[in-house]
Amino acid sequence: MAGIILAYYNSLNFFPPWSAFAATAIYLTISVLLPFRVRYNLRFLSGLFLQGIILLAAVKLTRHFDTSGHFAKMFEQQRSHAFVVHLEETPSEKLKTYKSIASVLKTINGDSVSKGSGKLIIYFNKDDFSRHLFVGDILMIFAQTEGVRSSGNPGSFDYASYCLLQGIRYQCFVASKNSILIQHGHGWKVQLDKIRRHICSILERHIRGAKECGLAEALLIGYKDNLDPELVQQYSNTGVVHVIAISGLHLGLLYMICKGVIRIIPFIKRKKWLSAIIIICFLWLFSLLTGGSPSVLRSAVMFTALIAGDRMAKKISMYNCLAASAFLLLCYNPYWLFDIGFQLSYSAVLSILIFMKPLYNTIFYENKLMDMLWQLVSVTLAAQILTTPVSLYHFHRFPNYFLFANLAAVPLSSIILVGEIVLCMTNFFSPAAQLLGMILEWLLKFMNDIIEHINELPYAIVSLIKMNIQQVILLYLMITAITVFLFEKMKKAIFLSFCCLVLFLFIRLKVMYDHSNQAFFIVYNLRGRNLVEIIEGRRSIVVCPTELQLNDYSVLEASHTLYQIKSTRIEKTPSVIHTQNLCFFLLQNRNLSLRSSGKAERKILIVSNNCKDADGTIIGILEPFVVITDATNSAATIKWWRRICFEKGIKIHTVVDKGAFVMKLN
């Protein structure tokens, strides 16, 4: 992990890894020739050198995966030419297009053909050609590539950085007339995709509700294209979104089912290694069927180690299993370290390993039902301890009723998952499948209703929580110190936790002071929307000519979390805004008021709704130092304003291309 972080945040060109490996090999060779007493006294160096080798190997591995510079050079040279690509996934349906990720096999420039590399996001228009594309298909496409862009809205999800961690830097739109299908896909990925689509068709046939069916597909095989966004938000707000993501819970249930089935087959039951191989194969097949996310692969590796150790009658250390699975997954893909699912999965399992038993042992129940309930409570509380800092850092919210939501969602989702497996097995017998589908639909609706009611309870969520990486580190240090005190009774640990708390509060106060003195002007990048905000201290004014929509609120919430805004006022009418010796003019129609508070003010012109200054009156009177075109303008209008600004020597910022316009006012 240290090597990956070093390689990601620092080029380390001053420290060539291979020379360090050579020096280490020389040292180890010489150390063998030294007297035993000298080697024994210097034994700590062996550990240091071993850690150094692992760290440098991680640096080299991460550099090998970071081929974005090569991708950039290749696509810059071949931006408007033909590519032969291999679809890595079946195209998923979006609002106006089908989207897929493809590997570039070859690039074609005239008569020359060169080997390609890297990945590319491809958007196909909706027609019969794109509907019949599947994973593994090889295509020749003629397209113009462009860089993957983020919205640039403050605090919003950085899509470009996310894609870069997946090895994707460019995207393109491909019309059907510019696509040629060279070869249909084949291989194990294609077969898994067929199984996945067959399972989805079974669920869609027997579970009629759209919300319920989408959730059923996500629970069983991790297919999330049909999930209702509002439902996902409710599960996230109540702290049970993990039941949607395929994780150790699902693999654990499958493991128990496999063991139960094998027990009733005498021939397999007596063959310990045969039963172990069958269970491991089923677990890995399920893991690959669900897409092979880091969380489910972590569980697959751990279960494989546990089953193998059990068959060899060896005592397995769960901590070593957890560390080994992380090591193997990061060797496969170092950038999974920055995946939120990877971080939450490992922090949750580590937290359960450390805290679950001590917490469970604090209370004893003779009643089996109460004991099972307390065990579920203990697991839920234990998992929350180490996942909370990561969750707060990434999602900026805390679900207050997470315990009650988990007590309902975890048992119900487990029953539903088992029911879905039985449904797929009994699909050939229509009456039983229809009855089971009705029961599952009712259970899914019942679980959704519970989560919806919990989400609507007062104070269900604490939002707008902003934490920096320093605060996250201090939180983990504080948790570690308190844990050491409780387990080892070390009084010095309490002093360390108190120091961490003081530093945490000091950083928090410093951040709040900075926010109290901030001032920003923002033009948001929202497709087809005109949204402007002025921030002064922890108050803001939002200017929007129409009613705010759901997407507007989500973007504003992300921005308000970043800037810690306490109160917001919404205005619809102003076309002229004065603040901090600046004057902002909103050109939404030709009836723009050209009044300003003084000649000394710097002026900014914001263009909306495809408005143009055909006679040059507005530009001539205002003389703005920058023109901003928001996301309501067409490509032709933006091109027109670029030409005018170039002729007048005025700076221009197009939010569609450059992201949101953010200007500091103090």
Side-chain angles (χ1 to χ4, degrees):
M1 289 168 61
I4 293 169
I5 292 170
L6 281 174
Y8 183 73
Y9 290 105
N10 192 335
S11 62
L12 292 177
N13 291 326
F14 60 92
F15 197 70
W18 292 115
S19 62
F21 291 153
T24 304
I26 293 170
Y27 171 81
L28 292 176
T29 303
I30 295 174
S31 64
V32 173
L33 304 176
L34 294 175
F36 176 76
R37 180 178 296 179
V38 177
R39 279 185 283 142
Y40 181 79
N41 291 333
L42 299 176
R43 63 189 182 279
F44 69 93
L45 288 178
S46 300
L48 290 177
F49 270 83
L50 178 61
Q51 298 297 331
I53 291 171
I54 294 173
L55 184 143
L56 292 169
V59 170
K60 182 65 179 177
L61 185 66
T62 308
R63 282 178 174 177
H64 175 72
F65 269 77
D66 184 17
T67 54
S68 58
H70 172 65
F71 296 164
K73 184 178 180 181
M74 182 187 71
F75 282 117
E76 286 293 338
Q77 293 174 349
Q78 308 289 341
R79 178 167 286 191
S80 300
H81 300 293
F83 303 93
V84 177
V85 298
H86 175 270
L87 296 187
E88 296 289 332
E89 61 183 22
T90 297
S92 57
E93 187 175 2
K94 302 301 177 184
L95 186 62
K96 296 181 180 180
T97 60
Y98 283 96
K99 175 190 173 185
S100 181
I101 296 174
S103 296
V104 179
L105 302 179
K106 296 178 182 178
T107 61
I108 304 171
N109 184 10
D111 296 331
S112 64
V113 179
S114 57
K115 185 179 179 180
S117 62
K119 293 181 181 180
L120 185 67
I121 297 176
I122 303 178
Y123 294 93
F124 299 94
N125 54 352
K126 288 188 175 181
D127 54 24
D128 288 337
F129 176 79
S130 56
R131 288 188 186 96
H132 293 88
L133 293 176
F134 300 102
V135 62
D137 288 351
I138 297 177
L139 309 172
M140 179 184 287
I141 61 171
F142 302 86
Q144 181 169 352
T145 59
E146 61 179 16
V148 176
R149 294 192 297 259
S150 296
S151 66
N153 294 320
S156 293
F157 177 63
D158 191 349
Y159 181 64
S161 296
Y162 169 79
C163 288
L164 195 59
L165 289 174
Q166 314 303 314
I168 305 168
R169 189 167 179 171
Y170 286 87
Q171 62 185 359
C172 66
F173 174 80
V174 180
S176 297
K177 63 181 181 181
N178 295 327
S179 307
I180 300 173
L181 179 61
I182 298 176
Q183 179 183 319
H184 283 294
H186 59 274
W188 64 271
K189 280 189 176 181
V190 176
Q191 299 305 318
L192 286 177
D193 185 66
K194 287 181 180 179
I195 297 172
R196 193 180 296 117
R197 285 188 278 117
H198 179 64
I199 292 173
C200 286
S201 67
I202 293 173
L203 297 176
E204 289 169 3
R205 192 182 312 127
H206 298 293
I207 301 176
R208 302 299 175 87
K211 279 188 178 181
E212 290 74 24
C213 183
L215 182 59
E217 292 171 345
L219 279 170
L220 183 58
I221 58 172
Y223 184 77
K224 299 180 182 179
D225 286 358
N226 296 330
L227 269 176
D228 182 77
E230 187 176 350
L231 184 67
V232 175
Q233 190 62 52
Q234 291 173 355
Y235 274 73
S236 178
N237 290 344
T238 51
V240 291
V241 74
H242 60 88
V243 302
I244 297 175
I246 303 295
S247 61
L249 173 66
H250 300 74
L251 240 62
L253 284 170
L254 187 65
Y255 172 67
M256 292 169 61
I257 292 171
C258 289
K259 282 188 69 175
V261 172
I262 285 174
R263 282 175 183 172
I264 61 176
I265 305 176
F267 171 73
I268 299 177
K269 181 182 178 181
R270 288 193 294 269
K271 306 287 185 177
K272 287 188 175 182
W273 275 107
L274 179 61
S275 63
I277 292 170
I278 291 173
I279 292 174
I280 290 172
C281 288
F282 268 108
L283 293 179
W284 278 99
L285 177 64
F286 178 78
S287 302
L288 297 174
L289 186 66
T290 58
S293 65
S295 57
V296 73
L297 290 180
R298 182 266 307 161
S299 303
V301 173
M302 289 189 66
F303 274 109
T304 301
L306 289 172
I307 295 168
D310 180 60
R311 293 301 179 266
M312 291 187 295
K314 299 289 185 180
K315 187 176 180 181
I316 300 293
S317 166
M318 291 300 296
Y319 295 102
N320 280 341
C321 279
L322 191 66
S325 65
F327 183 85
L328 293 174
L329 292 182
L330 292 177
C331 285
Y332 176 73
N333 187 343
Y335 287 117
W336 273 350
L337 179 62
F338 307 102
D339 183 85
I340 298 174
F342 182 92
Q343 296 172 9
L344 287 174
S345 175
Y346 277 92
S347 58
V349 175
L350 181 61
S351 192
I352 291 170
L353 290 177
I354 295 173
F355 300 108
M356 190 273 175
K357 279 191 177 180
L359 192 60
Y360 172 71
N361 292 333
T362 56
I363 300 176
F364 174 75
Y365 289 102
E366 292 185 359
N367 184 283
K368 288 188 176 181
L369 184 62
M370 287 299 298
D371 185 66
M372 289 174 61
L373 182 64
W374 173 237
Q375 191 172 10
L376 179 57
V377 170
S378 302
V379 171
T380 305
L381 292 175
Q384 203 70 29
I385 294 173
L386 292 184
T387 57
T388 295
V390 178
S391 183
L392 291 178
Y393 177 74
H394 288 295
F395 304 113
H396 316 293
R397 58 181 66 195
F398 184 80
N400 292 325
Y401 304 129
F402 72 92
L403 180 58
F404 305 107
N406 275 277
L407 289 177
V410 171
L412 278 172
S413 63
S414 302
I415 295 170
I416 292 167
L417 181 60
V418 174
E420 289 182 82
I421 294 172
V422 176
L423 174 63
C424 293
M425 295 171 63
T426 58
N427 177 56
F428 64 93
F429 186 55
S430 185
Q434 288 179 0
L435 177 61
L436 188 55
M438 291 173 60
I439 296 171
L440 287 173
E441 184 175 351
W442 182 84
L443 286 172
L444 286 161
K445 191 175 186 307
F446 179 59
M447 184 170 71
N448 290 343
D449 289 341
I450 291 175
I451 299 304
E452 184 180 353
H453 288 312
I454 293 176
N455 182 55
E456 291 174 353
L457 290 174
Y459 310 108
I461 187 169
V462 179
S463 57
L464 301 180
I465 301 173
K466 181 188 175 185
M467 289 181 58
N468 54 34
I469 192 65
Q470 292 86 357
Q471 289 173 301
V472 173
I473 293 171
L474 286 171
L475 269 183
Y476 276 121
L477 286 174
M478 187 162 57
I479 292 171
T480 303
I482 293 172
T483 303
V484 170
F485 172 75
L486 293 175
F487 289 2
E488 304 295 334
K489 306 302 179 185
M490 289 179 58
K491 294 183 179 179
K492 291 181 179 179
I494 285 292
F495 176 74
L496 176 60
S497 66
F498 177 75
C499 292
C500 292
L501 179 61
V502 171
L503 283 173
F504 181 89
L505 294 175
F506 175 78
I507 293 173
R508 181 66 179 166
L509 289 173
K510 175 66 169 58
V511 170
M512 298 307 292
Y513 174 79
D514 292 339
H515 286 308
S516 299
N517 295 281
Q518 67 189 353
F520 290 95
F521 174 77
I522 306 169
V523 180
Y524 289 99
N525 181 13
L526 282 161
R527 179 176 294 181
R529 302 288 294 160
N530 179 345
L531 193 63
V532 178
E533 185 170 27
I534 301 98
I535 295 174
E536 292 182 345
R538 299 185 67 188
R539 298 186 302 272
S540 77
I541 301 172
V542 175
V543 180
C544 185
T546 58
E547 293 292 333
L548 290 177
Q549 298 178 357
L550 182 63
N551 195 32
D552 300 339
Y553 282 110
S554 62
V555 169
L556 287 173
E557 182 182 3
S559 177
H560 292 177
T561 300
L562 178 65
Y563 297 118
Q564 293 292 282
I565 304 300
K566 289 180 64 178
S567 61
T568 302
R569 188 172 82 249
I570 300 173
E571 295 186 3
K572 296 182 180 180
T573 54
S575 59
V576 182
I577 307 167
H578 301 275
T579 180
Q580 300 281 348
N581 200 33
L582 288 170
C583 192
F584 305 92
F585 293 85
L586 278 64
L587 180 58
Q588 304 173 39
N589 50 60
R590 287 296 302 170
N591 298 321
L592 174 65
S593 172
L594 299 178
R595 293 174 297 139
S596 64
S597 61
K599 294 183 178 180
E601 290 181 327
R602 293 195 301 166
K603 303 176 183 68
I604 295 176
L605 179 64
I606 305 165
V607 180
S608 299
N609 302 325
N610 293 309
C611 287
K612 295 180 181 179
D613 182 22
D615 55 6
T617 305
I618 297 173
I619 292 286
I621 295 175
L622 291 183
E623 296 180 355
F625 77 93
V626 64
V627 173
I628 304 166
T629 58
D630 66 17
T632 62
N633 297 289
S634 65
T637 302
I638 294 172
K639 185 177 180 181
W640 186 89
W641 277 101
R642 279 179 178 156
R643 180 176 60 82
I644 294 298
C645 291
F646 178 76
E647 292 173 356
K648 301 287 186 180
I650 300 172
K651 293 180 182 179
I652 183 170
H653 182 99
T654 58
V655 298
V656 174
D657 296 328
K658 299 180 180 179
F661 179 82
V662 182
M663 181 179 180
K664 195 172 183 180
L665 300 178
N666 56 7

